[in-house]
Amino acid sequence: MAVTLSPYLVQALQPLTVLVAAPGLSGWIAKVEARLQGRRGPRVSQPYHDLVKLFGKESLAPYGASRFFLAAPVVAMCCYLTVPLLIPVLTTFGLPLGYAGDIIGGSFLLALASFSVAVAAAESGSPYAQLGASRSKTFGAITEPVMLFVVFTVAMITATDLPYAQAAAVRSSGDQVIRPAHLLASAALFLVILYETARIPVETHTGTNEFGMIEEARAFEHSGPHLALLKWGSAMKQLILYTILLDVFLAPWGLSSTTGVLSVVLAIGALIGKTALLGCVVAVIDNSFAKLRLFKISEFVAAAFLLAVLAVFTLYLGGG
């Protein structure tokens, strides 16, 4: 007789899986990129070692910063832990909180996390941190509407904005995945993910002091456990976006259809395998193109918006 888990336990496993696996995905991508460049590169487990080291240090705050400076990493982490409750991470069916919010609500939570980190960076008084916060919100005003437009496009294609229902619509037939409108919307989301995760051809994510830094610059004045939370949250955001692209848009297979222990464990393995494969694709893109100049980011995002618009036209012109 198969051993089954409580739906509430499986519900808790979804954010826990994202929490534990996110640093490993970042380490895997860094390793693949190093191999593509002919280097040995860091260990896949290096992000975990970095987090342990940061949690053992002291947290400091700039003079004059409010309490929100230290609260922002916690707020962002809470947002990143909430989103996996609303999307299909391990199961094909909605868990107790699976229908508590739609994919638009998840997008707002990600936006709230980004806003909190940007406000904390602006409070620090550091020129680099403030510059990163300013750029983050400037380009966020462009990318976030594009992401919402992609969500609306897929909602029109699948006739729902609930992630579990959208995944079920795509999973119902392989033809759903190759529909022109769906492919265009997925491509638009992929371009937005490249920007949101600080990958080529947009900006640096290696932590070097460059004027093109956005994601890394915002955390310049944080230290110790709060810096660890920011880095961990950034890795979780990357895994969450990969999961949305794979488990809702492109490959919603490998998920568990029951709460059986073996089925859930296989679903965890499938998620890690799919995101690792997508990470390899991102690493290849990351090493194949030169960085864009900062003012070119708007053109890059405009291309994503154009793909989403083409998806809508394709849908209504009979190709959806």
Side-chain angles (χ1 to χ4, degrees), residues 184-206:
L184 289 169
S186 300
L189 178 61
F190 181 67
L191 293 183
V192 172
I193 288 175
L194 288 179
Y195 166 78
E196 291 289 344
T197 55
R199 297 292 173 178
I200 292 293
V202 178
E203 57 162 313
T204 180
H205 60 279
T206 56

Side-chain angles (χ1 to χ4, degrees), residues 169-283:
V170 175
R171 195 169 50 249
S172 63
S173 172
D175 294 339
Q176 297 285 344
V177 180
I178 61 174
R179 297 167 73 183
H182 189 81
L183 289 176
L184 289 169
S186 300
L189 178 61
F190 181 67
L191 293 183
V192 172
I193 288 175
L194 288 179
Y195 166 78
E196 291 289 344
T197 55
R199 297 292 173 178
I200 292 293
V202 178
E203 57 162 313
T204 180
H205 60 279
T206 56
T208 56
N209 291 338
E210 295 183 15
F211 285 109
M213 292 174 63
I214 299 177
E215 183 77 16
E216 292 288 337
R218 298 186 301 174
F220 264 2
E221 293 302 311
H222 284 86
S223 59
H226 291 88
L227 179 58
L229 289 177
L230 288 178
K231 289 185 173 295
W232 204 346
S234 180
M236 288 180 63
K237 175 184 176 182
Q238 176 177 252
L239 181 54
I240 288 169
L241 291 174
Y242 284 13
T243 302
I244 292 174
L245 179 65
L246 292 170
D247 285 353
V248 178
F249 283 76
L250 290 179
W253 293 280
L255 299 171
S256 175
S257 59
T258 68
T259 57
V261 173
L262 180 59
S263 183
V264 172
V265 170
L266 291 176
I268 295 175
L271 175 68
I272 294 174
K274 289 189 295 185
T275 53
L277 183 60
L278 180 59
C280 291
V281 174
V282 171

Side-chain angles (χ1 to χ4, degrees), residues 25 43 50 83 92 115 134 167 187 236 239 289 291 311 314:
L25 176 62
R43 295 171 293 180
D50 294 340
V83 176
T92 58
F115 176 77
S134 175
M236 288 180 63
L239 181 54
F289 298 93
K291 299 272 185 194
T314 305

Side-chain angles (χ1 to χ4, degrees), residues 3-313:
V3 180
T4 60
L5 301 173
S6 166
Y8 293 96
L9 180 57
V10 180
Q11 180 82 87
L13 280 175
Q14 294 206 146
L16 182 62
T17 300
V18 173
L19 183 72
V20 174
L25 176 62
S26 297
W28 167 255
I29 295 176
K31 186 70 173 182
V32 173
E33 286 185 347
R35 289 298 186 182
L36 291 173
Q37 296 168 4
R39 299 184 289 109
R40 182 178 179 181
R43 295 171 293 180
V44 174
S45 61
Q46 187 59 47
Y48 296 102
H49 297 289
D50 294 340
L51 290 176
V52 171
K53 182 172 66 175
L54 288 173
F55 275 116
K57 294 187 175 183
E58 182 183 5
S59 285
L60 300 175
Y63 179 78
S66 70
R67 294 181 179 180
F68 188 77
F69 177 83
L70 297 178
V74 180
V75 172
M77 180 62 77
C78 290
C79 292
Y80 294 136
L81 287 172
T82 303
V83 176
L85 300 174
L86 308 176
I87 61 176
V89 177
L90 300 178
T91 63
T92 58
F93 53 92
L95 294 165
L97 297 177
Y99 296 108
D102 55 17
I103 198 168
I104 300 176
S107 299
F108 284 147
L109 285 172
L110 294 177
L112 175 61
S114 177
F115 176 77
S116 300
V117 176
V119 171
E123 279 199 353
S124 67
S126 167
Y128 266 121
Q130 291 180 331
L131 190 62
S134 175
R135 288 170 173 172
S136 171
K137 293 300 98 185
T138 298
F139 295 119
I142 306 173
T143 57
E144 288 168 9
V146 173
M147 180 173 286
L148 289 175
F149 194 83
V150 171
V151 169
F152 287 137
T153 303
V154 176
M156 287 188 290
I157 295 173
T158 59
T160 179
D161 61 353
L162 293 172
Y164 282 96
Q166 288 180 337
V170 175
R171 195 169 50 249
S172 63
S173 172
D175 294 339
Q176 297 285 344
V177 180
I178 61 174
R179 297 167 73 183
H182 189 81
L183 289 176
L184 289 169
S186 300
L189 178 61
F190 181 67
L191 293 183
V192 172
I193 288 175
L194 288 179
Y195 166 78
E196 291 289 344
T197 55
R199 297 292 173 178
I200 292 293
V202 178
E203 57 162 313
T204 180
H205 60 279
T206 56
T208 56
N209 291 338
E210 295 183 15
F211 285 109
M213 292 174 63
I214 299 177
E215 183 77 16
E216 292 288 337
R218 298 186 301 174
F220 264 2
E221 293 302 311
H222 284 86
S223 59
H226 291 88
L227 179 58
L229 289 177
L230 288 178
K231 289 185 173 295
W232 204 346
S234 180
M236 288 180 63
K237 175 184 176 182
Q238 176 177 252
L239 181 54
I240 288 169
L241 291 174
Y242 284 13
T243 302
I244 292 174
L245 179 65
L246 292 170
D247 285 353
V248 178
F249 283 76
L250 290 179
W253 293 280
L255 299 171
S256 175
S257 59
T258 68
T259 57
V261 173
L262 180 59
S263 183
V264 172
V265 170
L266 291 176
I268 295 175
L271 175 68
I272 294 174
K274 289 189 295 185
T275 53
L277 183 60
L278 180 59
C280 291
V281 174
V282 171
V284 171
I285 295 174
D286 213 353
N287 283 272
S288 301
F289 298 93
K291 299 272 185 194
L292 289 178
R293 295 181 180 179
L294 192 66
F295 66 87
K296 292 287 187 180
I297 293 179
S298 58
E299 298 179 11
F300 178 81
V301 178
F305 180 74
L306 178 60
L307 287 174
V309 172
L310 287 175
V312 174
F313 277 108

